[in-house]
Amino acid sequence: MSIRFAALPHTQDDADDRATSSSSDSEDYAEEDNNFEDWVSDQGQLQACRSLFEDKTFTTAAEALTYDKFTHGFDLDAVSRQWKLDLHRRIRLINFIRKHKLTPTDVGNLTGAETFFTSEDYLIPVIEDDPLLQLDFDDDWSDDGGGPSAEHGSNAPSDLPNALRRISILEKKLSQAQNDLSDYRRLITQNLGVSSIAEIINDPGPSSSEALRDDDTHYFQSYGYNDIHAVMIQDKVRTSSYASFILTNPILFRDAIVLDVGCGTGILSLFAAKSGAKHVYAVEASDVAEKAEKIIQANGLENIITVIRGKVEEITLPDDIDHVDIIISEWMGYALLYESMLDSVLHARERFLRPNGGVMAPSQCRIMLALCEGNEIMKDRVDFWNDVYGFDLSEMAHDVCKDAIIDVVGLESVISEPCLLKDLHLRSITARQLDFASSFSLTSTSPMRTKIHAFVLYFDTFFTTTGDPLSPDVPVRSIKDGDVTLAEVWPIAGKPPPKRRASVGPGLKEREEKRVISFSTGPMSQSTHWKQTLFLLKDPISAEEGTIVSGTFYCKKSEGNSRELDIEIHYSVRKGGDAPTSEVVVQMYKVR
């Protein structure tokens, strides 16, 4: 069983247009007659068209392409020419970008040789009657990347014979275009066994104004309430680690321009201002932005911190700010990638971070996987339903294994060394790489026979002042219950942290560059609000010391809601030595 993981509108010179429209050379009209796609292209230009990379809608396809070219650096015409894409391959590319919501960086990683360029699935329009699918770039686009030629429509014929000839030509083109569109629809419906394209995309008609799926409203609304911010700030492992990195690296932050993505209450922005940042731009899309502004004013930092209300994909920085020096963000979700906020942080990196020497905080995260007995979780989540006040409610437990469970497991319940599933270097990773498949091999360390009821997943987070990738050999700090956590920056018993005279000597800079701040959300560390992510097994694994559980872990954004995750785990078991390997077991989960 497998899983799919799954870049100016321009017209010709007026003189050229006048010459073309007034010419009575029959060869010109013969050439027009052979290029009926020109008419289709012109019609596509008159329809509302959505950007390939944003939810913005433009009055014409040319405007949409121009916006993508100059805002996102993606030139569809140039890419089509470079990869020598014919009509159908170009249609597949457009539909692939729209369906999977690729970023310009994602598209830049393509080569033109991907398998989707030959897949019939991507002949299906993601947006029915998408104007971009009706454009013909071969003749209508100039070599310098300008927009469609206005050769056939910008000026009226100069006399009646030319006008009649033009009408005749356009009527033929219209007829041919209608026939081609009919053939295209027939091709799709025959291959997929459906009655209409609209049936495929659940849309009763043309979708130039169709409502886009909204995965964001509930997400941002949930961050408008106090409770969620209280939980995050009271997580001392989380908050003190950020405070430690920001407040103990004064050379890095002094006079820096900082961008705080998803600032919430503004706590990280306050730390950055306290550490000497020249200015902090705190971006927040939820209603808590209003409270953040008041918090900043209450602390007398309104001249240093500016709150910008909106999504980081849509906001702009002041005209005099080309780049920021540091991006700070607490973007991590359950299983690290739940909520897909990292996509927004990477978008901010591409738009705003200084190309040479800019720092991402955090700079690196690792997703870890281990074996877990999970006896207590099974009792609480599954066995509990077998006898409720004398009644059998076990039907309620049948679907428990379909969803990942977010809970805290004791260290004694973990019976293997962890395996690194994914190492994310925030300076270089792309949004496309957040869908991944990774092999794993876990060996039971249990000294006695036991049953493995779950895989347990957690993540480790690292902060460095250089942003350089850390070797997998660099350990993460595990904070134990009762540890004095960050007395230097975290008030204890109501007393402020000790004040120290700032040092700017070369020794301090060298120490900053070598310092690594880290924390773990694993069972070996003090629990955090992220807890751990458990994947319960339908059939527990009988194991003893040396039993090997190996396989492949698949992770991708959910097609139903891009902020949720679809997880698929393929695994087999070998008792050790020369024992045979079991059949492959496949289980699928939702993280939501």
Coordinates of all heavy atoms in Angstrom, one line a residue, residues 133-217:
L133 N -6.0 28.0 -18.2 CA -6.0 26.8 -19.1 C -6.4 27.1 -20.5 O -6.2 26.3 -21.4 CB -7.0 25.8 -18.5 CG -6.8 25.3 -17.0 CD1 -7.7 24.2 -16.7 CD2 -5.3 24.9 -16.8
Q134 N -6.9 28.3 -20.8 CA -7.3 28.6 -22.1 C -6.3 29.5 -22.9 O -6.5 29.8 -24.1 CB -8.7 29.4 -22.1 CG -9.8 28.6 -21.3 CD -11.0 29.5 -21.2 OE1 -11.4 30.3 -22.1 NE2 -11.7 29.3 -20.1
L135 N -5.2 29.9 -22.2 CA -4.2 30.7 -22.8 C -3.3 29.8 -23.7 O -3.0 28.7 -23.4 CB -3.3 31.4 -21.8 CG -4.0 32.4 -20.9 CD1 -3.1 33.0 -19.9 CD2 -4.5 33.6 -21.8
D136 N -2.9 30.5 -24.8 CA -1.9 29.8 -25.7 C -0.7 30.7 -25.7 O -0.8 31.9 -26.2 CB -2.5 29.7 -27.1 CG -1.4 29.1 -28.1 OD1 -0.5 28.5 -27.6 OD2 -1.5 29.4 -29.3
F137 N 0.4 30.3 -25.2 CA 1.6 31.1 -25.1 C 2.5 31.0 -26.4 O 3.4 31.8 -26.5 CB 2.5 30.6 -23.9 CG 1.8 30.9 -22.6 CD1 1.0 29.9 -22.0 CD2 1.9 32.1 -22.0 CE1 0.4 30.1 -20.8 CE2 1.2 32.3 -20.8 CZ 0.5 31.3 -20.2
D138 N 2.3 30.0 -27.2 CA 3.2 29.8 -28.3 C 3.4 31.1 -29.2 O 4.5 31.4 -29.6 CB 2.8 28.6 -29.1 CG 3.0 27.3 -28.3 OD1 3.8 27.4 -27.4 OD2 2.4 26.3 -28.7
D139 N 2.2 31.7 -29.5 CA 2.3 32.8 -30.5 C 1.9 34.1 -29.8 O 2.2 35.2 -30.3 CB 1.3 32.6 -31.7 CG 1.8 31.3 -32.4 OD1 2.9 31.2 -32.7 OD2 0.9 30.5 -32.7
D140 N 1.1 34.0 -28.7 CA 0.5 35.2 -28.2 C 1.4 36.0 -27.2 O 1.1 37.0 -26.8 CB -0.8 34.8 -27.4 CG -1.9 34.5 -28.4 OD1 -1.7 34.7 -29.6 OD2 -2.9 34.0 -28.0
W141 N 2.6 35.3 -26.8 CA 3.4 36.0 -25.8 C 4.7 36.3 -26.5 O 5.4 35.5 -27.2 CB 3.6 35.0 -24.6 CG 2.4 34.9 -23.8 CD1 1.2 34.2 -24.2 CD2 2.1 35.5 -22.6 NE1 0.3 34.4 -23.2 CE2 0.8 35.2 -22.2 CE3 2.9 36.4 -21.8 CZ2 0.2 35.6 -21.0 CZ3 2.3 36.8 -20.6 CH2 1.0 36.4 -20.2
S142 N 5.2 37.5 -26.2 CA 6.4 38.0 -26.8 C 7.6 37.4 -26.2 O 7.5 36.9 -25.1 CB 6.5 39.5 -26.8 OG 6.5 39.9 -25.4
D143 N 8.8 37.5 -26.8 CA 10.0 36.9 -26.3 C 10.5 37.6 -25.0 O 11.2 37.0 -24.2 CB 11.1 37.0 -27.4 CG 10.8 36.1 -28.5 OD1 10.0 35.1 -28.4 OD2 11.4 36.3 -29.6
D144 N 10.1 38.8 -24.8 CA 10.6 39.5 -23.6 C 9.6 39.3 -22.4 O 9.8 40.0 -21.4 CB 10.7 41.0 -23.9 CG 9.4 41.7 -24.2 OD1 8.4 41.0 -24.3 OD2 9.4 42.9 -24.4
G145 N 8.7 38.3 -22.5 CA 7.9 38.0 -21.4 C 6.7 38.9 -21.2 O 6.1 38.9 -20.2
G146 N 6.3 39.6 -22.2 CA 5.1 40.5 -22.1 C 3.9 39.7 -22.1 O 3.8 38.5 -22.3
G147 N 2.8 40.4 -22.1 CA 1.5 39.7 -22.0 C 1.0 39.4 -23.4 O 1.6 39.6 -24.4
P148 N -0.3 38.9 -23.5 CA -0.8 38.5 -24.7 C -0.9 39.6 -25.7 O -1.2 40.7 -25.4 CB -2.3 38.0 -24.3 CG -2.1 37.7 -22.9 CD -1.1 38.7 -22.3
S149 N -0.8 39.2 -26.9 CA -0.9 40.2 -28.0 C -2.3 40.7 -28.2 O -3.2 39.9 -28.0 CB -0.4 39.6 -29.3 OG -0.8 40.4 -30.4
A150 N -2.5 41.9 -28.5 CA -3.8 42.5 -28.8 C -4.1 42.5 -30.2 O -4.9 43.2 -30.7 CB -3.9 43.9 -28.2
E151 N -3.3 41.6 -31.0 CA -3.4 41.7 -32.4 C -4.8 41.6 -33.0 O -5.1 42.2 -34.0 CB -2.5 40.6 -33.0 CG -2.5 40.5 -34.5 CD -1.6 39.3 -34.9 OE1 -1.2 38.5 -34.1 OE2 -1.4 39.2 -36.1
H152 N -5.6 40.8 -32.3 CA -6.9 40.5 -32.9 C -8.0 41.3 -32.3 O -9.2 41.2 -32.8 CB -7.2 39.0 -32.8 CG -6.1 38.1 -33.3 ND1 -5.6 38.3 -34.6 CD2 -5.5 37.1 -32.8 CE1 -4.6 37.4 -34.8 NE2 -4.6 36.6 -33.7
G153 N -7.8 42.1 -31.3 CA -8.9 42.7 -30.7 C -8.7 44.1 -30.2 O -9.7 44.8 -29.8
S154 N -7.5 44.7 -30.3 CA -7.3 46.0 -29.8 C -7.8 47.1 -30.7 O -8.2 48.2 -30.2 CB -5.8 46.2 -29.5 OG -5.1 46.1 -30.7
N155 N -7.9 46.9 -32.0 CA -8.3 47.9 -33.0 C -9.4 47.3 -33.9 O -9.3 46.2 -34.3 CB -7.2 48.4 -33.8 CG -6.2 49.2 -32.9 OD1 -6.6 50.1 -32.1 ND2 -4.9 48.9 -33.0
A156 N -10.4 48.1 -34.3 CA -11.4 47.6 -35.2 C -10.8 47.7 -36.6 O -9.9 48.4 -37.0 CB -12.6 48.5 -35.1
P157 N -11.3 46.7 -37.5 CA -10.9 46.8 -38.9 C -11.2 48.2 -39.5 O -12.1 48.9 -39.1 CB -11.8 45.7 -39.6 CG -12.2 44.8 -38.5 CD -12.3 45.7 -37.3
S158 N -10.4 48.6 -40.5 CA -10.5 49.9 -41.0 C -11.5 50.1 -42.1 O -11.9 51.2 -42.4 CB -9.1 50.3 -41.6 OG -8.7 49.4 -42.6
D159 N -12.1 49.0 -42.7 CA -13.1 49.1 -43.7 C -14.0 47.9 -43.6 O -13.8 46.9 -42.9 CB -12.5 49.2 -45.1 CG -11.5 48.1 -45.4 OD1 -11.8 46.9 -45.1 OD2 -10.3 48.4 -45.8
L160 N -15.1 48.0 -44.3 CA -16.2 47.0 -44.3 C -15.7 45.6 -44.7 O -15.9 44.6 -44.1 CB -17.4 47.4 -45.0 CG -18.6 46.4 -45.0 CD1 -19.0 46.2 -43.6 CD2 -19.7 47.0 -45.9
P161 N -15.0 45.5 -45.9 CA -14.5 44.2 -46.3 C -13.7 43.5 -45.3 O -13.8 42.3 -45.0 CB -13.7 44.5 -47.6 CG -14.3 45.7 -48.1 CD -14.7 46.5 -46.9
N162 N -12.7 44.3 -44.7 CA -11.9 43.7 -43.6 C -12.7 43.3 -42.4 O -12.5 42.2 -41.8 CB -10.8 44.7 -43.2 CG -9.6 44.7 -44.1 OD1 -9.4 43.7 -44.8 ND2 -8.9 45.8 -44.1
A163 N -13.7 44.1 -42.1 CA -14.6 43.7 -40.9 C -15.3 42.5 -41.2 O -15.4 41.6 -40.3 CB -15.6 44.9 -40.7
L164 N -15.9 42.3 -42.4 CA -16.6 41.1 -42.7 C -15.7 39.9 -42.7 O -16.1 38.8 -42.2 CB -17.3 41.2 -44.1 CG -18.4 42.3 -44.2 CD1 -18.9 42.4 -45.6 CD2 -19.6 41.9 -43.2
R165 N -14.5 40.1 -43.2 CA -13.5 39.0 -43.2 C -13.2 38.6 -41.8 O -13.1 37.4 -41.5 CB -12.3 39.4 -44.0 CG -11.5 38.2 -44.5 CD -10.5 38.5 -45.7 NE -10.1 39.9 -45.7 CZ -10.3 40.7 -46.7 NH1 -11.0 40.3 -47.7 NH2 -9.8 42.0 -46.7
R166 N -13.0 39.6 -40.9 CA -12.7 39.3 -39.5 C -13.8 38.6 -38.8 O -13.6 37.6 -38.1 CB -12.4 40.7 -38.8 CG -12.2 40.5 -37.3 CD -10.9 39.8 -37.0 NE -9.8 40.4 -37.5 CZ -9.1 41.4 -36.9 NH1 -9.5 41.8 -35.7 NH2 -8.1 42.0 -37.4
I167 N -15.1 39.0 -39.1 CA -16.2 38.3 -38.5 C -16.2 36.8 -38.9 O -16.5 35.9 -38.1 CB -17.5 39.0 -38.9 CG1 -17.6 40.4 -38.2 CG2 -18.7 38.1 -38.5 CD1 -18.8 41.2 -38.7
S168 N -16.0 36.6 -40.2 CA -16.0 35.2 -40.7 C -14.9 34.4 -40.0 O -15.2 33.2 -39.6 CB -15.8 35.2 -42.2 OG -15.7 33.9 -42.7
I169 N -13.8 35.0 -39.9 CA -12.7 34.2 -39.2 C -13.0 33.9 -37.8 O -12.8 32.8 -37.3 CB -11.4 35.1 -39.3 CG1 -10.9 35.1 -40.8 CG2 -10.3 34.5 -38.4 CD1 -9.7 36.1 -41.0
L170 N -13.5 34.9 -37.1 CA -13.8 34.7 -35.6 C -15.0 33.7 -35.5 O -15.0 32.9 -34.5 CB -14.2 36.0 -35.0 CG -13.0 37.0 -34.9 CD1 -13.5 38.3 -34.2 CD2 -11.9 36.4 -34.1
E171 N -15.9 33.7 -36.4 CA -17.0 32.7 -36.3 C -16.4 31.3 -36.4 O -16.8 30.3 -35.7 CB -18.1 32.9 -37.4 CG -18.9 34.1 -37.0 CD -19.9 34.4 -38.2 OE1 -19.7 33.9 -39.3 OE2 -20.9 35.2 -37.9
K172 N -15.5 31.1 -37.3 CA -14.8 29.8 -37.5 C -14.1 29.4 -36.2 O -14.1 28.3 -35.8 CB -13.9 29.8 -38.7 CG -14.6 29.9 -40.1 CD -13.6 30.0 -41.2 CE -14.3 30.1 -42.5 NZ -13.3 30.2 -43.7
K173 N -13.3 30.4 -35.7 CA -12.6 30.1 -34.5 C -13.5 29.8 -33.3 O -13.2 28.9 -32.5 CB -11.7 31.4 -34.1 CG -10.6 31.6 -35.1 CD -9.8 32.9 -34.6 CE -8.7 33.1 -35.5 NZ -7.9 34.3 -35.1
L174 N -14.6 30.5 -33.2 CA -15.6 30.2 -32.1 C -16.1 28.7 -32.3 O -16.1 28.0 -31.3 CB -16.7 31.2 -32.2 CG -17.9 30.9 -31.2 CD1 -17.3 30.9 -29.7 CD2 -19.0 31.9 -31.4
S175 N -16.4 28.4 -33.5 CA -16.9 27.0 -33.7 C -15.9 26.0 -33.4 O -16.1 25.0 -32.7 CB -17.4 26.9 -35.2 OG -17.8 25.5 -35.4
Q176 N -14.6 26.2 -33.8 CA -13.6 25.3 -33.5 C -13.3 25.2 -32.0 O -13.0 24.1 -31.5 CB -12.3 25.7 -34.3 CG -11.1 24.7 -34.1 CD -11.5 23.3 -34.7 OE1 -11.8 23.2 -35.9 NE2 -11.4 22.3 -33.9
A177 N -13.3 26.4 -31.4 CA -13.0 26.4 -29.9 C -14.0 25.6 -29.1 O -13.7 24.9 -28.2 CB -12.9 27.8 -29.4
Q178 N -15.3 25.8 -29.6 CA -16.4 25.1 -28.9 C -16.2 23.6 -29.1 O -16.5 22.8 -28.2 CB -17.7 25.6 -29.4 CG -18.1 27.0 -29.0 CD -19.3 27.5 -29.6 OE1 -19.7 27.1 -30.7 NE2 -20.0 28.5 -29.0
N179 N -15.8 23.2 -30.3 CA -15.6 21.7 -30.5 C -14.5 21.2 -29.7 O -14.6 20.1 -29.1 CB -15.3 21.5 -32.0 CG -16.5 21.7 -32.9 OD1 -17.7 21.6 -32.4 ND2 -16.3 22.0 -34.2
D180 N -13.4 22.0 -29.6 CA -12.2 21.5 -28.8 C -12.6 21.4 -27.3 O -12.2 20.5 -26.6 CB -11.1 22.5 -29.0 CG -10.2 22.1 -30.2 OD1 -10.8 21.7 -31.2 OD2 -9.0 22.1 -30.1
L181 N -13.4 22.4 -26.8 CA -13.8 22.4 -25.4 C -14.6 21.2 -25.2 O -14.5 20.5 -24.2 CB -14.5 23.7 -25.1 CG -14.9 23.8 -23.6 CD1 -13.7 23.7 -22.7 CD2 -15.7 25.1 -23.4
S182 N -15.5 20.9 -26.1 CA -16.4 19.7 -26.0 C -15.5 18.4 -26.0 O -15.7 17.5 -25.2 CB -17.4 19.6 -27.1 OG -18.2 18.5 -27.1
D183 N -14.5 18.3 -26.9 CA -13.6 17.2 -26.9 C -12.9 17.0 -25.6 O -12.7 15.9 -25.0 CB -12.6 17.3 -28.0 CG -13.3 17.1 -29.4 OD1 -14.5 16.6 -29.4 OD2 -12.7 17.5 -30.4
Y184 N -12.4 18.2 -25.0 CA -11.7 18.2 -23.8 C -12.5 17.7 -22.6 O -12.1 16.8 -21.8 CB -11.2 19.6 -23.5 CG -10.4 19.8 -22.2 CD1 -9.3 19.0 -21.9 CD2 -10.7 20.8 -21.3 CE1 -8.6 19.1 -20.7 CE2 -10.0 21.0 -20.2 CZ -8.9 20.1 -19.9 OH -8.2 20.3 -18.7
R185 N -13.8 18.2 -22.6 CA -14.7 17.7 -21.5 C -14.9 16.2 -21.7 O -15.0 15.4 -20.7 CB -16.0 18.4 -21.6 CG -15.9 19.9 -21.1 CD -17.2 20.6 -21.3 NE -17.2 22.0 -20.9 CZ -17.4 22.4 -19.7 NH1 -17.7 21.5 -18.7 NH2 -17.3 23.7 -19.4
R186 N -15.1 15.7 -22.9 CA -15.4 14.3 -23.2 C -14.2 13.5 -22.8 O -14.4 12.4 -22.2 CB -15.7 14.1 -24.7 CG -16.3 12.7 -25.0 CD -16.6 12.5 -26.5 NE -17.5 13.6 -26.9 CZ -17.1 14.5 -27.8 NH1 -15.9 14.6 -28.3 NH2 -17.9 15.5 -28.2
L187 N -13.0 13.9 -23.0 CA -11.8 13.2 -22.6 C -11.8 13.0 -21.1 O -11.5 11.9 -20.6 CB -10.5 14.0 -23.1 CG -9.2 13.5 -22.5 CD1 -8.9 12.1 -23.1 CD2 -8.1 14.5 -22.8
I188 N -12.1 14.0 -20.4 CA -12.0 13.9 -18.9 C -13.1 13.0 -18.4 O -12.9 12.1 -17.6 CB -12.1 15.3 -18.3 CG1 -10.9 16.2 -18.6 CG2 -12.3 15.2 -16.8 CD1 -11.0 17.6 -18.2
T189 N -14.4 13.2 -18.8 CA -15.5 12.5 -18.3 C -15.4 11.0 -18.7 O -15.8 10.1 -17.9 CB -16.8 13.1 -18.8 OG1 -16.8 13.1 -20.3 CG2 -17.0 14.5 -18.3
Q190 N -14.9 10.7 -19.9 CA -14.8 9.3 -20.3 C -13.7 8.6 -19.4 O -13.9 7.5 -19.0 CB -14.4 9.2 -21.8 CG -15.6 9.5 -22.7 CD -15.2 9.4 -24.2 OE1 -14.0 9.4 -24.5 NE2 -16.1 9.5 -25.0
N191 N -12.6 9.3 -19.2 CA -11.5 8.6 -18.4 C -11.9 8.4 -17.0 O -11.4 7.5 -16.3 CB -10.2 9.5 -18.5 CG -9.6 9.4 -19.9 OD1 -9.9 8.6 -20.7 ND2 -8.6 10.3 -20.1
L192 N -12.7 9.3 -16.4 CA -13.0 9.2 -15.0 C -14.4 8.7 -14.7 O -14.8 8.5 -13.6 CB -12.9 10.6 -14.4 CG -11.4 11.1 -14.4 CD1 -11.4 12.6 -14.2 CD2 -10.6 10.4 -13.3
G193 N -15.2 8.4 -15.8 CA -16.5 7.8 -15.6 C -17.5 8.7 -14.8 O -18.3 8.2 -14.0
V194 N -17.4 10.0 -15.0 CA -18.4 10.9 -14.4 C -19.1 11.7 -15.5 O -18.7 11.7 -16.6 CB -17.6 11.9 -13.5 CG1 -17.0 11.2 -12.3 CG2 -16.6 12.7 -14.2
S195 N -20.2 12.3 -15.1 CA -21.1 12.9 -16.1 C -20.6 14.3 -16.4 O -21.0 14.8 -17.4 CB -22.5 12.9 -15.5 OG -22.6 13.7 -14.3
S196 N -19.9 15.0 -15.6 CA -19.4 16.3 -15.9 C -18.2 16.7 -15.1 O -18.0 16.1 -14.0 CB -20.6 17.3 -15.6 OG -20.8 17.4 -14.2
I197 N -17.5 17.7 -15.5 CA -16.4 18.2 -14.8 C -16.9 18.8 -13.4 O -16.2 18.7 -12.4 CB -15.7 19.3 -15.6 CG1 -15.1 18.7 -16.8 CG2 -14.6 20.0 -14.7 CD1 -14.4 19.8 -17.7
A198 N -18.1 19.4 -13.5 CA -18.6 20.0 -12.2 C -18.8 19.0 -11.2 O -18.6 19.2 -10.0 CB -19.9 20.7 -12.5
E199 N -19.1 17.7 -11.6 CA -19.3 16.7 -10.6 C -18.0 16.4 -9.9 O -18.0 16.1 -8.7 CB -19.9 15.4 -11.3 CG -20.1 14.2 -10.4 CD -20.6 13.0 -11.2 OE1 -21.3 13.3 -12.2 OE2 -20.4 11.9 -10.7
I200 N -16.9 16.5 -10.7 CA -15.6 16.1 -10.1 C -15.3 17.1 -9.0 O -14.8 16.7 -8.0 CB -14.5 16.2 -11.2 CG1 -14.9 15.1 -12.3 CG2 -13.1 15.9 -10.6 CD1 -14.0 15.3 -13.5
I201 N -15.5 18.3 -9.2 CA -15.0 19.4 -8.3 C -16.2 19.9 -7.4 O -16.1 20.9 -6.8 CB -14.4 20.5 -9.0 CG1 -15.3 21.2 -10.0 CG2 -13.1 20.1 -9.7 CD1 -14.7 22.4 -10.6
N202 N -17.3 19.1 -7.4 CA -18.5 19.5 -6.6 C -18.9 20.9 -6.8 O -19.2 21.6 -5.8 CB -18.1 19.2 -5.1 CG -17.8 17.8 -4.8 OD1 -18.5 16.9 -5.3 ND2 -16.8 17.5 -4.0
D203 N -19.0 21.3 -8.0 CA -19.4 22.7 -8.3 C -20.5 22.6 -9.4 O -20.2 22.0 -10.5 CB -18.2 23.4 -8.8 CG -18.5 24.9 -9.0 OD1 -19.7 25.3 -8.8 OD2 -17.6 25.7 -9.2
P204 N -21.6 23.2 -9.2 CA -22.7 23.1 -10.2 C -22.4 23.9 -11.5 O -23.1 23.7 -12.5 CB -23.9 23.6 -9.5 CG -23.4 24.5 -8.5 CD -22.1 23.9 -8.0
G205 N -21.5 24.7 -11.5 CA -21.3 25.6 -12.7 C -19.9 26.2 -12.7 O -19.0 25.8 -11.9
P206 N -19.7 27.2 -13.6 CA -18.4 27.8 -13.7 C -18.0 28.4 -12.3 O -18.8 28.9 -11.5 CB -18.7 29.0 -14.7 CG -19.8 28.5 -15.5 CD -20.7 27.7 -14.5
S207 N -16.7 28.3 -12.0 CA -16.2 28.6 -10.7 C -15.3 29.8 -10.6 O -14.5 29.9 -9.7 CB -15.5 27.4 -10.1 OG -14.4 27.1 -11.0
S208 N -15.4 30.7 -11.6 CA -14.6 31.9 -11.5 C -14.8 32.7 -10.2 O -14.0 33.4 -9.7 CB -14.8 32.8 -12.7 OG -16.1 33.2 -12.8
S209 N -16.0 32.5 -9.7 CA -16.3 33.2 -8.4 C -16.6 32.2 -7.3 O -17.3 32.6 -6.3 CB -17.5 34.1 -8.6 OG -18.7 33.4 -9.0
E210 N -16.2 30.9 -7.4 CA -16.5 29.9 -6.4 C -15.9 30.3 -5.1 O -14.8 30.8 -5.0 CB -16.1 28.5 -6.9 CG -14.6 28.4 -7.0 CD -14.2 27.0 -7.4 OE1 -14.9 26.0 -7.0 OE2 -13.2 26.8 -8.0
A211 N -16.5 29.9 -4.0 CA -16.0 30.1 -2.7 C -14.8 29.1 -2.5 O -15.0 27.9 -2.6 CB -17.1 29.9 -1.6
L212 N -13.7 29.7 -2.0 CA -12.6 28.8 -1.7 C -12.7 28.2 -0.4 O -13.3 28.8 0.5 CB -11.3 29.7 -1.8 CG -11.0 30.3 -3.1 CD1 -9.8 31.2 -3.0 CD2 -10.8 29.3 -4.2
R213 N -12.2 27.0 -0.2 CA -12.2 26.3 1.1 C -11.5 27.2 2.1 O -10.4 27.7 1.9 CB -11.6 25.0 1.0 CG -11.8 24.1 2.2 CD -11.1 22.8 2.1 NE -9.7 22.9 2.2 CZ -8.8 22.0 1.9 NH1 -9.2 20.9 1.3 NH2 -7.5 22.2 2.1
D214 N -12.1 27.3 3.3 CA -11.6 28.1 4.4 C -11.1 27.3 5.5 O -11.8 26.7 6.3 CB -12.6 29.1 4.9 CG -12.1 30.0 5.9 OD1 -10.9 30.1 6.2 OD2 -13.0 30.7 6.6
D215 N -9.7 27.1 5.6 CA -9.1 26.3 6.6 C -8.6 27.3 7.7 O -8.0 26.8 8.7 CB -7.9 25.5 6.1 CG -8.4 24.5 5.1 OD1 -9.6 24.1 5.1 OD2 -7.5 24.0 4.4
D216 N -8.8 28.6 7.6 CA -8.2 29.5 8.5 C -9.1 30.1 9.5 O -8.6 30.5 10.6 CB -7.6 30.7 7.6 CG -6.4 30.2 6.7 OD1 -5.9 29.1 7.0 OD2 -6.1 30.9 5.8
T217 N -10.4 30.3 9.2 CA -11.2 31.1 10.1 C -11.3 30.5 11.5 O -11.0 31.2 12.5 CB -12.6 31.2 9.5 OG1 -12.6 31.9 8.3 CG2 -13.5 32.0 10.5

